[in-house]
Amino acid sequence: CYLGSFLLVQVFSMANGDPLVSALCIFGDSVVDSGNNNRLNTVIKANFPPYGRDFVTHRPTGRFSNGKLATDFTAEFLGFTSYPPAYLSQEARGKNLLTGANFASAASGYYDRTAQL
């Protein structure tokens, strides 16, 4: 019975054009970084070709991919009409933050004390 209600909510939500969840917040490293490193003082960047050549804009965005990230596909699956903006980008302002943001940063896992553990 509960599963049936859940499926009904999904179908109803998608039929109205609303995402299945209200916001999508992403944390991680280069696997899901959508451009935060573009605005950080680091040599770890992906804002130059060939990155982005297969993305919607066909230009580098800071994603460490030539196309969409797994989180971009997740946002589409959940019913969002856009991808969560990189938190440090100009798009992550005002009402755009109400549907979430991407806080991921490439090389964020590199911390000497972690390796020592």
Side-chain angles (χ1 to χ4, degrees):
C1 184
Y2 177 74
L3 180 60
S5 298
F6 177 70
L7 292 176
L8 180 62
V9 170
Q10 282 186 321
V11 172
F12 180 73
S13 182
M14 292 298 285
N16 286 333
D18 295 330
L20 295 176
V21 295
S22 58
L24 187 58
C25 296
I26 300 161
F27 299 89
D29 58 12
S30 61
V31 176
V32 292
D33 185 347
S34 64
N36 281 306
N37 277 24
N38 293 351
R39 298 199 177 266
L40 294 176
N41 185 19
T42 179
V43 296
I44 312 294
K45 296 182 185 282
N47 57 354
F48 55 88
Y51 296 114
R53 68 175 179 227
D54 296 327
F55 191 64
V56 178
T57 61
H58 301 289
R59 293 183 306 195
T61 60
R63 286 169 170 78
F64 286 78
S65 169
N66 63 329
K68 296 177 186 175
L69 302 171
T71 51
D72 297 329
F73 289 108
T74 302
E76 289 174 357
F77 177 77
L78 292 173
F80 288 94
T81 56
S82 62
Y83 308 123
Y87 182 71
L88 296 177
S89 72
Q90 296 296 330
E91 293 82 32
R93 302 287 180 265
K95 290 186 178 186
N96 284 349
L97 287 176
L98 295 178
T99 57
N102 185 315
F103 298 93
S105 175
S108 63
Y110 182 73
Y111 181 60
D112 288 337
R113 292 195 57 159
T114 302
Q116 292 170 359
L117 290 175

